[in-house]
Amino acid sequence: MSTSRTVICLLRNDLRLHDNELFHWAQRNAEKIVPLYCFDPRHYVGTHNYNLPKTGPFRLRFLLESVRDLRDTLLAKAVCHAVTSEELHVEKKVKEICAQMRVKVHTCWGSTLYHRDDLPFHHMSRLPDVYTQFRKAVETQSKVRPVFPAPEQLKPLPPGLEEGAIPMAQDLQQTEPLTDPRSAFPCSGGESQALARLKHYFWDTDAVATYKETRNGLIGVDYSTKFAPWLANGCISPRYIYHQIQQYERERTANQSTYWVIFELLWRDYFKFVGVKYGNRLFQVQGLQDKSVPWKKDMKLFDAWKEGRTGVPFVDANMRELAMTGFMSNRGRQNVASFLTKDLGLDWRMGAEWFEYMLIDHDVCSNSGNWLYKAGIWLYGDYVRQWIPELQGISGADAHTPWTLSPAVLSHARVSLSETYPTPIVTAPEWSRHVNKKPSGSGPSPRGKKGPSHTPKQHRDRGIDFYFSRSKNL
Ligand code: FAD
């Protein structure tokens, strides 16, 4: 086998040819290209804390479809940088082995809308802890890069090298899942399907123009984009979606809905960059607040939750949908996560690890980030402390509800209500209900802050009742 100017493209969550810097770079720098995807056995063992199976049948099927689709594309043409510690560990090892074998390593960053190097913060440690600050900074000071064109023809494999076999689910100790006709995600993996989905959602049905009104739906395929599973595997590029939205806005219509898809993609970016900033803190039980909460580890309650047997029909319906299809709407996820952490008081990592196993679109940063939000151990309160220095001494989200704190806590924080800071002139009933729901008795109140996927208006309008309110979709 010739080794001169051969580039091995080690693929991970970037299973696409369009807007793929790796192939673009290889095409320009190699005579021969070896695209390589490794099925890492560690992805098929137990989860970190609760030893649940790590990759469930729906996600595995989607992954196998995605690898197969990319291989077909690459064959027809004849011929990315990690975030979390597990990924970084693999990357480090690969680099070590390559160094021993005198193979040069070139890494690319390709999974986010805004490139890591284009963020308007001098160092990742300066990344804001508040999403809105992050969003406003990138929207005003950064630019989304153009997409890399897909190569017309890809350089060939080195002579003597043949493409390997793609494993079957059974080879990875899994069974093929059954397909449920009620699934809100009846789609297959792969770049071709991802691009077809975008065409359908944008250009064929104009569903994107009403996304903001429909995105909290529960039944059917088109209430939201359903891009997440393809994004998680890199079958579609967020930059490509962005530029398609720009084109759609030029040629059809620009409204709140078209913008809101970008707004949500920015949440995805934000969680990834927070993962870079805080590393493993994103996965620790104390969360980013470093707050010790007496979570329960009651397996009976957990089993009832994951099997959809809690007796709360809305929670049960969502959990059964997840188990039978590998997908759950954003609204469903918000509810069942609240229920697990707030109402059952269970360790948020139990829920996160069950989601890791079940979700086709599992993304380690989005999953943990959203769970921390729901568990109330995200970095709340910084915004309040920035503008209300009188409350500087109160840590975490408690800064949002000083009137609920004990005299001892207030005195420790040097806050004297009615003296150094006013008692509320009015307390909406929702506030007191949030506060009463806290598992720790004085823990944070995440719904008092804008969390992911909460539009400001929805947020104003919805308290805890939102989650169990009737809608035409229920
Ligand atoms: P759309 O509503 O069409 O949104 C478009 C895209 O924006 C999504 O594909 C996704 O990439 C991004 N997005 C939307 N909402 C969020 C959000 N809250 N956080 C981050 N990105 C968002 N999303 C994942 O991709 N992987 C996960 O593992 C994951 N785990 C979650 C766990 C919990 C507890 C919660 C509450 C949310 C989680 N989400 C996760 C976010 C969100 O629920 C899904 O991205 C969304 O439901 C996927 O459907 P969609 O592609 O139709 O989304």
Side-chain angles (χ1 to χ4, degrees):
M1 184 177 107
S2 154
T3 52
S4 66
R5 313 275 290 162
T6 295
V7 168
I8 300 171
C9 293
L10 180 58
L11 298 157
R12 289 189 291 184
N13 294 342
D14 44 6
L15 297 173
R16 65 173 182 270
L17 191 58
H18 74 277
D19 195 28
N20 193 330
E21 188 175 353
L22 208 55
F23 285 123
H24 188 77
W25 187 89
Q27 189 72 2
R28 287 178 19 189
N29 290 283
E31 287 151 23
K32 309 274 187 268
I33 295 181
V34 183
L36 177 65
Y37 182 86
C38 298
F39 288 86
D40 187 335
R42 282 166 297 191
H43 293 169
Y44 304 93
V45 295
T47 54
H48 194 65
N49 298 294
Y50 290 94
N51 200 28
L52 300 170
K54 212 170 184 178
T55 303
F58 293 103
R59 185 144 55 87
L60 177 62
R61 179 171 70 186
F62 195 84
L63 172 67
L64 294 173
E65 288 164 354
S66 303
V67 172
R68 206 169 294 127
D69 183 72
L70 180 60
R71 188 164 72 170
D72 290 348
T73 306
L74 294 176
L75 285 173
K77 298 264 172 189
V79 97
C80 263
H81 223 80
V83 170
T84 58
S85 71
E86 260 177 51
E87 293 170 335
L88 290 170
H89 178 72
V90 172
E91 194 168 298
K92 189 165 161 264
K93 282 278 168 215
V94 169
K95 281 183 180 161
E96 279 168 18
I97 293 169
C98 288
Q100 283 162 17
M101 302 182 75
R102 301 204 184 170
V103 173
K104 279 194 200 152
V105 177
H106 174 85
T107 54
C108 306
W109 180 272
S111 63
T112 48
L113 182 55
Y114 285 91
H115 196 285
R116 177 189 168 137
D117 297 343
D118 298 340
L119 295 182
F121 321 110
H122 294 304
H123 190 266
M124 213 35 110
S125 61
R126 306 290 292 273
L127 182 88
D129 288 335
V130 177
Y131 167 74
T132 308
Q133 287 173 13
F134 161 80
R135 178 178 60 78
K136 287 188 174 159
V138 291
E139 283 179 344
T140 51
Q141 296 169 55
S142 304
K143 264 189 110 133
V144 175
R145 294 184 180 186
V147 296
F148 289 100
E152 287 292 325
Q153 275 208 321
L154 205 67
K155 300 270 174 68
L157 284 172
L161 193 71
E162 285 183 10
E163 67 271 8
I166 297 178
M168 311 279 284
Q170 293 76 357
D171 300 326
L172 298 157
Q173 286 73 52
Q174 290 273 4
T175 46
E176 275 283 330
L178 294 174
T179 301
D180 193 302
R182 293 165 297 180
S183 176
F185 189 78
C187 315
S188 316
E191 180 178 19
S192 324
Q193 296 299 316
L195 299 179
R197 171 68 190 164
L198 185 144
K199 181 172 169 293
H200 169 85
Y201 196 77
F202 283 26
W203 301 104
D204 299 346
T205 62
D206 289 305
V208 67
T210 51
Y211 167 74
K212 192 154 180 258
E213 290 87 60
T214 61
R215 58 182 284 275
N216 272 315
L218 299 161
I219 295 176
V221 185
D222 286 345
Y223 62 78
S224 65
T225 69
K226 303 294 184 309
F227 290 154
W230 290 293
L231 282 163
N233 287 281
C235 302
I236 194 162
S237 142
R239 284 193 294 241
Y240 176 75
I241 299 173
Y242 175 89
H243 288 295
Q244 284 283 301
I245 291 176
Q246 302 281 300
Q247 190 182 336
Y248 185 90
E249 290 185 334
R250 278 193 307 273
E251 293 178 13
R252 301 255 171 112
T253 185
N255 59 22
Q256 285 203 349
S257 283
T258 52
Y259 167 70
W260 218 261
V261 175
I262 298 170
F263 179 94
E264 294 297 346
L265 285 174
L266 276 172
W267 267 111
R268 180 177 171 275
D269 267 25
Y270 180 59
F271 284 129
K272 282 228 175 341
F273 294 129
V274 167
V276 177
K277 176 174 176 180
Y278 287 104
N280 277 346
R281 278 182 63 189
L282 200 56
F283 313 110
Q284 279 168 9
V285 67
Q286 311 93 315
L288 296 180
Q289 271 187 26
D290 228 354
K291 181 163 185 150
S292 148
V293 177
W295 301 112
K296 286 190 254 170
K297 294 185 174 156
D298 184 326
M299 293 315 272
K300 271 201 177 143
L301 288 180
F302 178 57
D303 286 347
W305 177 81
K306 77 181 167 57
E307 288 160 19
R309 292 187 288 102
T310 65
V312 180
F314 191 64
V315 171
D316 291 348
N318 276 289
M319 293 309 294
R320 291 183 194 189
E321 179 188 6
L322 178 64
M324 295 175 88
T325 69
F327 191 83
M328 189 194 291
S329 68
N330 179 60
R331 181 174 169 198
R333 297 180 203 200
Q334 305 275 349
N335 279 276
V336 301
S338 270
F339 188 79
L340 182 114
T341 54
K342 303 276 164 41
D343 298 332
L344 301 179
L346 290 177
D347 180 351
W348 67 271
R349 297 171 307 171
M350 295 169 119
E353 290 186 10
W354 182 248
F355 270 28
E356 174 172 3
Y357 170 52
M358 285 311 306
L359 278 178
I360 304 177
D361 60 41
H362 174 252
D363 171 291
V364 69
C365 297
S366 286
N367 192 41
S368 268
N370 275 288
W371 273 98
L372 289 181
Y373 251 101
K374 298 318 289 181
I377 42 180
W378 188 257
L379 290 155
Y380 298 111
D382 296 33
Y383 175 72
V384 164
R385 280 182 290 276
Q386 174 168 297
W387 291 102
I388 310 179
E390 308 92 284
L391 301 179
Q392 276 288 353
I394 305 179
S395 61
D398 286 347
H400 285 281
T401 50
W403 69 92
T404 66
L405 302 178
S406 68
V409 172
L410 288 173
S411 147
H412 184 71
R414 294 174 190 276
V415 175
S416 171
L417 288 179
S418 304
E419 287 175 25
T420 59
Y421 186 73
T423 41
I425 49 175
V426 61
T427 322
E430 274 158 19
W431 274 110
S432 51
R433 266 179 284 171
H434 291 311
V435 171
N436 295 338
K437 284 270 171 187
K438 290 179 197 171
S440 62
S442 65
S445 169
R447 292 195 203 104
K449 281 283 294 167
K450 272 182 242 170
S453 302
H454 291 185
T455 70
K457 174 155 188 322
Q458 282 164 341
H459 197 77
R460 266 205 314 278
D461 292 351
R462 77 189 191 184
I464 195 150
D465 295 339
F466 166 83
Y467 294 101
F468 299 101
S469 69
R470 226 160 255 287
S471 96
K472 60 180 174 7
N473 254 346
L474 272 173

